[in-house]
C-alpha cells in the first residue's frame, strides 16, 4: 500500500500542465522553476519512506 507514494512522485513530476505557469513567484523565481526544485527533495523523501517501509517488511519476515 505504501508503494502508492511512488505513483504520487511520478504524477507530480509528469503533470506538466499543472505547473506550466509563471505565477506565483517565489523570490522572483517563476512557479515552473521553483516547483521543480522543490519536487526534488519531496520526491527523495517519499522514495526514502517507501524504501524504509519495504526494508522493514523484509527484516520482519
Amino acid at each position: 500500500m505504501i508503494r502508492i507514494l511512488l505513483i504520487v512522485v511520478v504524477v507530480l513530476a509528469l503533470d506538466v500542465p499543472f505547473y506550466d505557469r509563471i505565477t506565483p513567484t517565489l523570490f522572483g523565481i517563476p512557479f515552473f522553476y521553483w516547483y521543480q526544485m522543490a519536487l526534488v527533495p519531496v520526491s527523495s523523501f517519499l522514495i526514502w519512506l517507501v524504501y524504509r517501509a519495504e526494508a522493514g517488511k523484509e527484516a520482519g519476515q
Side-chain angles (χ1 to χ4, degrees):
M1 190 67 173
I2 190 95
R3 293 181 185 179
I4 292 175
L5 289 177
L6 296 177
I7 294 173
V8 171
V9 169
V10 171
V11 169
L12 287 175
L14 295 180
D15 190 18
V16 178
F18 169 72
Y19 62 89
D20 187 20
R21 56 192 164 135
I22 296 173
T23 58
T25 59
L26 181 66
F27 305 114
I29 301 172
F31 182 73
F32 181 78
Y33 293 114
W34 71 257
Y35 176 82
Q36 291 178 23
M37 288 187 286
L39 193 59
V40 172
V42 169
S43 298
S44 299
F45 179 71
L46 292 176
I47 292 168
W48 178 79
L49 280 177
V50 172
Y51 169 76
R52 293 290 296 190
E54 293 295 320
K57 285 182 186 176
E58 290 180 13
Q61 290 182 349

